[in-house]
Amino acid sequence: MRQTKIDDFLELERRIEEEVNRSREKDKILFQQAKLASLGEMIGNISHQWRQPLMEMNSIFLPIEAKITLGQSLENSEILEAIEKLNSITKFMSDTIDDFRDFFLNDKEKTRFKILEQINSIINIVSTGLKTYNIKLDIIMKKNPEIVGYKNEFSQVLINIINNAKDELISRKIENPYIKISVFEENDFVIVTFEDNAGGIRVNPLDMIFEPFFTFEKKNGSGIGLFMSKLIVEKNMQGKLKAYNKNDGAFFEMKIPKE
Ligand SMILES: Nc1ncnc2c1ncn2[C@@H]1O[C@H](COP(=O)(O)OP(=O)(O)OP(=O)(O)O)[C@@H](O)[C@H]1O
Ligand SMILES: [Mg+2]
């Protein structure tokens, strides 16, 4: 009698483990899907980010070419200056493409990284897209804390939240649109908050936005962005990701333990 109970218990334990593993596998697949879904958006970002420097490159040598055609004398310094400009533009382009590549690499191991570094690489990815719509991006860093975790995944969360705010600011045609990111420390936690003035999350209950495939009032939403973000913050970084409405927009708070 006793033995059967123990057997039952072991069987139950085995089944629970099986189910947990299965649900982890599901999360992994969803995660990969989410990355693919954001690929299209990222390519859009690259083309935005490269258009301007390509145009600048095009025009750098125009005055030099004109002088040569007109048979005018040309200073070495003019040529050197043009070459220097060209170098700085190609460096910018190469940095952006590196940031994109990093973004799509899977982090193999946890590392210690500075929040500001990741924020900077995000800015390299989204800035031109935001400028196109006159969206102001404010970053307020009271500290530049370090955290331990998967840094590309961390960036992915930032991009998801920024892109969501951008989507709403554009589709609701908000005047003087802005996104404000603040970074500070509180006890043993690093806190990153995101605010916008797009009018807030119009979903009730609000936490539905974190469910997989939940998308609302969007043409091409897959509904994976926030689900994936929560997974990254809460399962992989042992933190918390929460959403509220505040003032005239949405407010996201990401709380991550320092160690
Ligand atoms: N800053 C915000 N302001 C208002 N609503 C928001 C904001 N961020 C998210 N939402 C709402 O939450 C929903 C879920 O967001 P989520 O990122 O998970 O999916 P999505 O943006 O619709 O699709 P995708 O998978 O392409 O990101 C959005 O469809 C939107 O309605
Ligand atoms: Mg989204």
Side-chain angles (χ1 to χ4, degrees), residues 173-203:
K173 300 192 174 72
I174 302 296
E175 267 179 51
N176 306 317
Y178 72 76
I179 299 172
K180 185 167 128 191
I181 303 177
S182 313
V183 181
F184 54 97
E185 285 181 21
E186 210 175 80
N187 303 324
D188 293 331
F189 293 91
V190 172
I191 297 174
V192 186
T193 62
F194 305 78
E195 286 169 65
D196 61 60
N197 62 340
I201 301 158
R202 293 172 188 170
V203 175

Side-chain angles (χ1 to χ4, degrees), residues 14-69:
R14 194 188 57 77
R15 277 207 215 151
I16 290 174
E17 199 184 315
E18 218 176 80
E19 274 311 311
V20 168
N21 284 338
R22 205 172 285 156
S23 120
R24 265 197 210 123
E25 277 306 307
K26 257 193 222 150
D27 282 351
K28 258 194 210 155
I29 293 170
L30 274 177
F31 197 79
Q32 287 310 324
Q33 273 183 355
K35 271 203 158 171
L36 278 181
S38 54
L39 188 60
E41 210 165 316
M42 291 305 265
I43 290 174
N45 278 312
I46 300 185
S47 75
H48 261 307
Q49 209 69 1
W50 275 27
R51 197 165 293 138
Q52 183 65 23
L54 279 174
M55 304 241 280
E56 281 173 28
M57 263 190 191
N58 239 342
S59 60
I60 286 180
F61 286 96
L62 285 180
I64 294 176
E65 189 185 14
K67 278 195 169 174
I68 293 174
T69 333

Side-chain angles (χ1 to χ4, degrees), residues 66-82:
K67 278 195 169 174
I68 293 174
T69 333
L70 294 171
Q72 289 178 355
S73 70
L74 195 63
E75 299 285 330
N76 276 349
S77 62
E78 281 174 73
I79 302 177
L80 284 175
E81 210 174 283

Side-chain angles (χ1 to χ4, degrees), residues 2-240:
R2 205 184 200 121
Q3 189 56 36
T4 2
K5 267 203 174 144
I6 294 175
D7 282 348
D8 281 355
F9 180 72
L10 287 175
E11 170 65 14
L12 186 66
E13 206 174 43
R14 194 188 57 77
R15 277 207 215 151
I16 290 174
E17 199 184 315
E18 218 176 80
E19 274 311 311
V20 168
N21 284 338
R22 205 172 285 156
S23 120
R24 265 197 210 123
E25 277 306 307
K26 257 193 222 150
D27 282 351
K28 258 194 210 155
I29 293 170
L30 274 177
F31 197 79
Q32 287 310 324
Q33 273 183 355
K35 271 203 158 171
L36 278 181
S38 54
L39 188 60
E41 210 165 316
M42 291 305 265
I43 290 174
N45 278 312
I46 300 185
S47 75
H48 261 307
Q49 209 69 1
W50 275 27
R51 197 165 293 138
Q52 183 65 23
L54 279 174
M55 304 241 280
E56 281 173 28
M57 263 190 191
N58 239 342
S59 60
I60 286 180
F61 286 96
L62 285 180
I64 294 176
E65 189 185 14
K67 278 195 169 174
I68 293 174
T69 333
L70 294 171
Q72 289 178 355
S73 70
L74 195 63
E75 299 285 330
N76 276 349
S77 62
E78 281 174 73
I79 302 177
L80 284 175
E81 210 174 283
I83 292 174
E84 219 167 87
K85 261 193 210 156
L86 188 68
N87 285 342
S88 94
I89 293 172
T90 47
K91 178 165 186 314
F92 168 81
M93 294 174 81
S94 140
D95 286 349
T96 13
I97 211 77
D98 283 349
D99 287 332
F100 281 108
R101 190 208 46 205
D102 287 349
F103 183 76
F104 278 99
L105 288 177
N106 278 324
D107 291 294
K108 286 192 196 67
E109 49 196 62
K110 288 189 175 185
T111 49
R112 179 179 288 276
F113 62 89
K114 281 210 184 325
I115 302 245
L116 185 63
E117 270 167 39
Q118 291 319 106
I119 290 189
N120 280 337
S121 72
I122 289 310
I123 293 175
N124 274 342
I125 294 175
V126 299
S127 63
T128 318
L130 293 178
K131 251 182 235 153
T132 310
Y133 295 96
N134 288 321
I135 298 171
K136 201 165 134 230
L137 179 64
D138 270 341
I139 292 166
I140 295 162
M141 305 240 352
K142 298 228 168 84
K143 279 251 169 87
N144 182 14
E146 283 185 342
I147 45 177
V148 177
Y150 301 100
K151 60 178 183 178
N152 296 332
E153 289 191 353
F154 176 80
S155 301
Q156 200 145 12
V157 175
L158 299 193
I159 293 218
N160 285 341
I161 297 176
I162 294 173
N163 277 339
N164 279 342
K166 179 182 159 205
D167 289 344
E168 302 302 331
L169 289 166
I170 296 171
S171 76
R172 295 176 187 173
K173 300 192 174 72
I174 302 296
E175 267 179 51
N176 306 317
Y178 72 76
I179 299 172
K180 185 167 128 191
I181 303 177
S182 313
V183 181
F184 54 97
E185 285 181 21
E186 210 175 80
N187 303 324
D188 293 331
F189 293 91
V190 172
I191 297 174
V192 186
T193 62
F194 305 78
E195 286 169 65
D196 61 60
N197 62 340
I201 301 158
R202 293 172 188 170
V203 175
N204 195 9
L206 205 135
D207 272 344
M208 269 200 319
I209 58 174
F210 293 112
E211 279 169 22
F213 309 114
F214 179 85
T215 176
F216 178 66
E217 285 184 337
K218 263 192 206 184
K219 269 190 220 126
N220 299 310
S222 69
I224 290 183
L226 287 177
F227 163 72
M228 176 171 74
S229 303
K230 203 172 173 75
L231 214 61
I232 291 175
V233 175
E234 304 198 346
K235 293 229 168 124
N236 295 0
M237 307 187 92
Q238 282 71 50
K240 280 264 170 252

